[in-house]
């Protein structure tokens, strides 16, 4: 007998695994192809990603990759959003992909569906007698928009507050008709269960892992830093608002506290698509913006300390796991520490506010935290190996299947 067939829906092409959402999606997809014949439906919002489609064709039974443009999405959002509907649904709606999904579901081709992110749940209509349906929300996105609204004023505050309200209502509706809804951490699952108590019994979690072999401190490459002073590193996609706010905070509020150190450290912002606000930070003393780099690992391996000063953060931060896997000392905000299986003060340092973060970085640079990097890697090995994480996914799917059949 052939493998059972599963439909995997993703709001972005899940390869290459070079940013948070793609990392989780790729590891889940690759794992599922071992026991399932997987049809992948996704959107390609960066034309450069089309070169990676052969990898996906090689592991999936069928791939429908719908190209989308920013202008097209703006038009659909402006003219396609219905009253009471979150803007996110129109932004992530692609008519051709929707027709392809409807055809597959109508032909009863699938025994299971996994929708990756709440927006993709809109492609799977509710109804009895259908396949097993798993929704991986990853994060409670409505809470992110609520945090955005709290930090804004004027029209933006109203728009973000509307998005938080309407998206939470949508998240609750789709969780009610999916057989299981997953979040990225136990804490995130508890948050959603509090917001949606009517579906609490169907909520579970699967944590993020890290590729232990890829992020190996022994495979570090040549030193990318020209400066002889200690390097402080932040990694991430640099047009993502929480990352932009984090590096702006560190560069303008924390770095001045470190200027008197001898030698004074340099702050390196490493990641693709730096926004104008991020590029402007390079004008500050001892702040460098790299833009896209072919490989993050040398920047982590040769850093004196990796920082994650995020103030808006949901779920588990891959940047923290990767730096820890590279045996780097990490200084993180409480928000960035959430969900990471690591003990503050032993495996990483957690600091809240500019002065506290500067003090923590100073401790590391002064050599007062020996063994912190080794403890960081040990914590990741023990708590965030993808093999163990994905075994939990298997258990969730099996339990949901038994419950549905009962």
């Amino acid at each position: 007998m052939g493998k059972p067939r599963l439909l995997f829906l993703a709001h972005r092409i899940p390869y290459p695994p070079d940013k948070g959402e793609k990392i989780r999606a790729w590891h889940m997809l690759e794992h599922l192809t071992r026991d399932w014949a997987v049809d992948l439906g996704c959107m390609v919002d960066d034309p450069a990603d089309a070169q990676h489609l052969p990898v996906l064709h090689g592991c999936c039974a069928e791939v429908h990759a719908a190209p989308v443009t920013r202008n097209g999405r703006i038009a659909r959002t402006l003219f396609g959003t219905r009253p009471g509907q979150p803007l996110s649904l129109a932004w992530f709606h692609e008519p051709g992909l929707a027709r392809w999904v409807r055809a597959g579901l109508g032909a009863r081709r699938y025994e299971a569906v996994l929708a990756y992110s709440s927006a993709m749940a809109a492609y799977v209509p509710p109804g009895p007698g259908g396949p097993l349906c798993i929704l991986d929300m990853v994060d409670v996105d409505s809470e992110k928009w609520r945090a955005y609204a709290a930090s804004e004023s004027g029209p933006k505050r109203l728009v973000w507050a509307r998005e938080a309200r309407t998206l939470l209502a949508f998240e609750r509706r789709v969780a009610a008709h999916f057989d299981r809804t997953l979040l990225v951490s136990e804490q995130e699952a508890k948050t959603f269960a509090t917001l949606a108590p009517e579906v609490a019994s169907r909520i579970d979690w699967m944590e993020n892992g890290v590729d232990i072999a890829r992020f190996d401190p022994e495979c570090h490459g040549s030193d990318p830093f020209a400066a002889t002073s200690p390097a402080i590193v932040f990694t991430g996609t640099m047009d993502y608002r929480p990352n932009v706010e984090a590096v702006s905070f560190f560069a303008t509020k924390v770095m001045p506290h470190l200027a008197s150190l001898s030698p004074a450290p340099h702050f390196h912002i490493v990641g693709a698509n730096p926004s104008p606000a991020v590029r402007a930070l390079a004008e500050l003393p001892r702040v460098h913006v790299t833009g896209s780099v072919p490989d993050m690992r040398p920047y982590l391996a040769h850093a004196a300390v990796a920082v994650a000063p995020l103030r808006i953060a949901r779920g588990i931060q891959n940047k923290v796991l990767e730096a820890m896997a590279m045996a780097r000392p990490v200084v993180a905000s409480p928000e960035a520490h959430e969900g990471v299986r690591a003990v503050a003060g032993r495996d990483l340092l957690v600091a809240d506010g500019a002065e506290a973060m500067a003090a923590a970085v100073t401790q590391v640079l002064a050599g007062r935290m020996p063994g912190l990097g080794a403890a960081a890697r040990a914590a990741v090995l023990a708590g965030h190996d993808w093999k163990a994480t994905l075994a939990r996914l298997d258990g969730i799917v099996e339990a949901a299947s038994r419950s549905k059949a009962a």
Side-chain angles (χ1 to χ4, degrees), residues 184-207:
V184 74
S185 68
E186 183 177 8
Q187 182 57 49
E188 199 76 353
K190 288 179 178 177
T191 296
F192 187 54
T194 300
L195 296 169
E198 71 280 4
V199 294
S201 63
R202 294 203 230 175
I203 296 171
D204 214 319
W205 72 92
M206 188 200 89
E207 295 172 342

Side-chain angles (χ1 to χ4, degrees), residues 376-401:
R377 181 164 173 85
V380 167
L381 287 170
H384 290 283
D385 189 336
W386 271 118
K387 184 176 180 180
T389 295
L390 291 165
R392 181 173 176 84
L393 174 63
D394 292 335
I396 291 168
V397 173
E398 290 171 11
S401 296

Side-chain angles (χ1 to χ4, degrees), residues 43-404:
M43 283 169 272
V44 182
D45 57 6
D46 182 350
D49 278 344
Q51 67 182 304
H52 303 294
L53 286 173
V55 174
L56 297 169
H57 283 288
C59 66
C60 296
E62 185 176 336
V63 176
H64 183 98
V68 293
T69 65
R70 180 175 177 81
N71 287 343
R73 284 180 151 176
I74 291 172
R76 277 197 294 274
T77 302
L78 288 175
F79 301 111
T81 300
R82 298 193 298 272
Q85 182 187 72
L87 300 172
S88 308
L89 295 196
W91 183 266
F92 287 109
H93 178 74
E94 202 290 313
L97 178 59
R99 288 192 295 271
W100 180 78
V101 172
R102 281 198 303 271
L105 293 173
R108 298 186 176 273
R109 186 180 301 162
Y110 305 111
E111 294 185 40
V113 175
L114 193 150
Y116 184 77
S117 85
S118 58
M120 301 311 292
Y123 288 81
V124 185
L132 173 72
C133 290
I134 307 289
L135 169 61
D136 184 11
M137 278 177 51
V138 189
D139 306 321
V140 185
D141 274 341
S142 56
E143 284 292 278
K144 177 187 69 179
W145 291 107
R146 185 184 65 79
Y148 285 176
S151 65
E152 288 288 357
S153 60
K156 276 190 177 181
R157 184 184 184 93
L158 296 176
V159 173
W160 297 162
R162 177 194 181 278
E163 186 68 5
R165 184 178 63 255
T166 57
L167 186 55
L168 176 58
F170 175 75
E171 289 167 341
R172 294 177 70 171
R173 286 198 304 274
V174 294
H177 84 256
F178 273 70
D179 298 294
R180 285 291 185 279
T181 294
L182 308 185
L183 283 303
V184 74
S185 68
E186 183 177 8
Q187 182 57 49
E188 199 76 353
K190 288 179 178 177
T191 296
F192 187 54
T194 300
L195 296 169
E198 71 280 4
V199 294
S201 63
R202 294 203 230 175
I203 296 171
D204 214 319
W205 72 92
M206 188 200 89
E207 295 172 342
N208 279 355
V210 64
D211 189 332
I212 300 298
R214 175 171 170 74
F215 289 93
D216 182 341
E218 298 302 318
C219 305
H220 48 68
S222 59
D223 189 343
F225 302 118
T228 57
S229 56
I232 302 170
V233 166
F234 179 98
T235 60
T237 302
M238 292 318 307
D239 59 355
Y240 180 50
R241 176 174 169 171
N243 288 346
V244 173
E245 292 185 354
V247 296
S248 297
F249 164 76
F250 194 89
T252 61
K253 304 298 184 183
V254 181
M255 283 296 287
H257 289 286
L258 304 174
S260 61
L261 298 182
S262 182
H266 286 228
F267 180 40
H268 300 263
I269 301 167
V270 184
N273 306 322
S275 69
V278 173
R279 290 197 300 270
L281 295 174
E283 311 227 348
L284 296 174
R286 304 182 317 283
V287 176
H288 311 272
V289 178
T290 69
S292 181
V293 297
D295 192 343
M296 290 281 191
R297 291 173 297 173
Y299 290 86
L300 290 172
H302 293 280
V305 57
V307 294
L310 290 104
R311 292 179 289 176
I312 297 176
R314 307 297 324 163
I316 296 176
Q317 296 298 313
N318 288 292
K319 59 173 61 64
V320 173
L321 297 183
E322 291 167 357
M324 291 177 67
M326 295 291 288
R328 290 297 81 206
V330 173
V331 176
S333 64
E335 293 84 351
H337 177 226
E338 184 176 303
V340 176
R341 292 183 178 272
V343 177
R346 184 194 71 185
D347 307 322
L348 80 171
L349 299 184
V350 177
D352 191 8
E355 291 187 8
M357 187 153 284
V361 170
T362 299
Q363 277 191 291
V364 174
L365 297 182
R368 295 198 290 269
M369 297 300 298
L372 187 63
R377 181 164 173 85
V380 167
L381 287 170
H384 290 283
D385 189 336
W386 271 118
K387 184 176 180 180
T389 295
L390 291 165
R392 181 173 176 84
L393 174 63
D394 292 335
I396 291 168
V397 173
E398 290 171 11
S401 296
R402 289 194 301 269
S403 178
K404 190 176 182 70

